[in-house]
Amino acid sequence: MSTFVPNLWPEEAVPTFAKECKDCGLYQHGTRMVWGEGNPNAPIMILLDNPGAREDCDGSPFVCGTRQTLQQAAYEVGLTADDLYITYILKRKPTRAYEKENVRTICINHLEDQLQAKNPKVVFCMGNIAVQSFFQNKDVDVKSLRGTIQQVRGIPTLVAYHPLAVRRRPNLWSYFVKDWHDLANLYNQTKDTI
């Protein structure tokens, strides 16, 4: 029996310069800005497309399915919450149609700020949307890049299926865990070179 128990990771406060950002228009969707969660000083930055639900309809915090799947894989390969920081291409959860390409182009500026401030040792991109946005190439995808180390913005970068895709298609779990093993191995190599 596994001893894994998912946890609600703390959110990093939104920096003052970004709190009132209305550039992309997602503030009109009524969702709050989520800058990131986990250890803000972690060596591994996990990149997802946008924040998910962190509160139920009564406003009580809970660990969503994406976080459960992500945390379980991390646990299986020996990574801890201290090793990981999760952030997003979009800092707000879209709730209706929006101009995807334009919004992502605007929001990537916040991610650039985070990369400069945090200087992660490794980036782990999850899902085609995050991969295409981070790589700035709409023709790349997880399936073709899995298992390879790419240099993106000067940072070693790995990719994996989105945790929600894995929850919906359990046959992807073995691939997902393999990608997490690759991440753990790369991270351990970077620790040895520091």
Side-chain angles (χ1 to χ4, degrees):
M1 185 170 147
S2 173
T3 58
F4 167 73
V5 177
N7 295 299
L8 190 66
W9 290 355
E11 279 187 34
E12 180 179 24
V14 178
T16 305
F17 71 85
K19 276 185 181 176
E20 303 302 321
C21 181
K22 296 183 177 179
D23 295 347
C24 73
L26 287 181
Y27 74 96
Q28 296 171 330
H29 290 223
T31 57
R32 65 189 183 84
M33 186 179 280
V34 180
W35 196 249
E37 58 192 89
N39 176 5
N41 302 310
I44 300 171
M45 180 181 280
I46 296 173
L47 186 57
L48 296 166
D49 48 352
N50 58 261
R54 286 181 55 94
E55 296 92 14
D56 63 18
C57 59
D58 296 321
S60 302
F62 78 107
V63 183
C64 68
T66 294
R67 302 313 176 277
Q68 288 178 19
T69 303
L70 186 152
Q71 289 180 19
Q72 183 173 0
Y75 175 82
E76 288 200 18
V77 303
L79 293 172
T80 69
D82 285 341
D83 299 321
L84 306 171
Y85 175 75
I86 301 171
T87 193
Y88 318 93
I89 300 295
L90 307 180
K91 303 303 185 196
R92 295 178 186 270
K93 180 178 173 57
T95 58
R96 58 184 179 272
Y98 64 101
E99 295 179 33
K100 292 182 170 84
E101 193 168 322
N102 184 47
V103 168
R104 288 190 188 110
T105 299
I106 292 168
C107 289
I108 203 84
N109 293 318
H110 289 314
L111 178 62
E112 296 285 356
D113 292 337
Q114 287 177 300
L115 290 168
Q116 282 190 341
K118 296 179 181 310
N119 193 27
K121 301 297 179 211
V122 180
V123 170
F124 196 32
C125 254
M126 297 187 157
N128 284 335
I129 294 170
V131 168
Q132 290 165 359
S133 297
F134 188 60
F135 283 61
Q136 295 185 316
N137 182 345
K138 64 180 181 180
D139 296 323
V140 297
D141 63 14
V142 170
K143 189 174 182 179
S144 62
L145 292 174
R146 282 187 62 253
T148 65
I149 300 169
Q150 304 292 317
Q151 289 290 324
V152 183
R153 294 172 170 81
I155 306 167
T157 302
L158 293 131
V159 306
Y161 291 111
H162 193 286
L164 271 183
V166 174
R167 288 180 72 84
R168 291 177 182 149
R169 296 176 51 203
N171 61 308
L172 295 177
W173 176 252
S174 61
Y175 299 108
F176 191 63
V177 173
K178 165 73 168 75
D179 295 335
W180 277 89
H181 275 292
D182 291 346
L183 174 66
N185 290 338
L186 178 59
Y187 169 54
N188 288 328
Q189 290 171 12
T190 64
K191 282 197 304 192
D192 294 339
T193 60
I194 296 173

